[in-house]
Amino acid sequence: EIVLTQFPGTLSLSPGERATLSCRASQSVSSNLAWYQQKPGQAPRLLIYGASSRATGIPDRFSGSGSGTDFTLTISRLAPEDFAVYYCQQYGSSPWTFGQGTKVEIK
Amino acid sequence: QLQLQESGPGLVKPSETLSLTCSVSGASISNSGHYWGWIRQPPGKGLEWIGSIYYSGTTYYNPSLKSRVTISVDTSKNEFSLNLRSVTATDTAVYYCARPRRWDNAFDIWGQGTMVTVSS
């Protein structure tokens, strides 16, 4: 099973700042990586698939990059609604696995 | 608009079977060309993929749960179901049904989730 490690565990930032979240896979997943946003009491929402493609309706302040084992989710300017937990997921090799999450909190 | 809705008991006793159903509206399971999946999230923790099913009945499961899990589909009711046998407290979680994109396994449509507690 591929293990995904996300860092940092918590990111404390102010609205308008840039957020950079990382996800590292224990072995290559090519570009088979997705990012999700989850707010309290809600289901996850797909942000990015294929490592860098934005899902339908996702603002362009969200961008993804990377391939192989190292991936990044960047939020160019944090909006108030962006404070949440973010998960990466690999689907390069079954079983599909998720990272443990990065919480983006208001500083 | 495609919507998924989980249903089932919120409380299950240890050693019994957890049974949940996901009702699909806004699209036909048998005509969509998608797989359909179950994912869970223990309180305060991360996400775990349980397994997925195609309308034909083809399934694949997370090996960590495979010995206890059965996912089935009922195309006449446009729903699919999860059975998890011999549950323990560690199976307490929010259970989500979700649909991955057609050409990969990024989950783009999710149900709202249902909390299942395993307790006597």
Side-chain angles (χ1 to χ4, degrees):
Chain A
E1 159 174 325
I2 294 176
V3 176
L4 298 180
T5 302
Q6 292 187 241
F7 51 94
T10 303
L11 204 49
S12 298
L13 295 168
S14 301
E17 289 193 296
R18 183 184 188 90
T20 302
L21 289 67
S22 297
C23 176
R24 179 165 293 162
S26 59
Q27 61 191 80
S28 176
V29 300
S30 186
S31 294
N32 297 307
L33 190 108
W35 289 94
Y36 300 84
Q37 176 193 70
Q38 188 178 34
K39 298 179 180 178
Q42 296 185 15
R45 177 173 71 142
L46 178 65
L47 300 175
I48 301 288
Y49 63 90
S52 61
S53 297
R54 271 188 301 276
T56 303
I58 301 303
D60 60 7
R61 64 180 180 272
F62 291 92
S63 63
S65 64
S67 67
T69 60
D70 289 292
F71 301 88
T72 301
L73 174 70
T74 302
I75 310 172
S76 59
R77 291 175 305 280
L78 282 164
E81 62 270 28
D82 297 338
F83 292 92
V85 179
Y86 292 82
Y87 293 96
C88 57
Q89 177 222 342
Q90 68 80 22
Y91 47 92
S93 175
S94 183
W96 321 136
T97 51
F98 294 83
Q100 82 280 15
T102 291
K103 182 179 182 180
V104 178
E105 65 176 22
I106 300 177
K107 187 175 182 181
Chain B
Q1 181 181 354
L2 177 63
Q3 291 187 318
L4 307 180
Q5 178 68 58
E6 305 89 350
S7 61
L11 181 64
V12 180
K13 290 182 168 57
S15 80
E16 295 190 345
T17 297
L18 179 160
S19 296
L20 297 174
T21 295
C22 182
S23 299
V24 178
S25 60
S28 169
I29 283 182
S30 55
N31 292 338
S32 71
H34 288 86
Y35 275 82
W36 305 85
W38 288 96
I39 294 160
R40 69 180 183 177
Q41 185 173 35
K45 296 188 177 181
L47 299 156
E48 179 180 34
W49 171 72
I50 299 170
S52 296
I53 190 166
Y54 197 56
Y55 78 94
S56 61
T58 299
T59 53
Y60 58 114
Y61 300 127
N62 191 323
S64 68
L65 297 167
K66 186 176 182 178
S67 64
R68 298 193 292 131
V69 170
T70 301
I71 297 176
S72 58
V73 63
D74 188 335
T75 55
S76 67
K77 295 182 178 179
N78 214 38
E79 61 187 30
F80 60 105
S81 299
L82 169 70
N83 277 356
L84 180 63
R85 298 175 290 278
S86 304
V87 297
T88 69
T90 59
D91 295 311
T92 294
V94 175
Y95 286 77
Y96 296 100
C97 57
R99 188 203 74 177
R101 286 162 37 83
R102 182 175 295 190
W103 307 116
D104 58 42
N105 283 285
F107 291 90
D108 62 346
I109 306 293
W110 294 68
Q112 65 184 28
T114 187
M115 180 68 200
V116 179
T117 301
V118 178
S119 175
S120 56

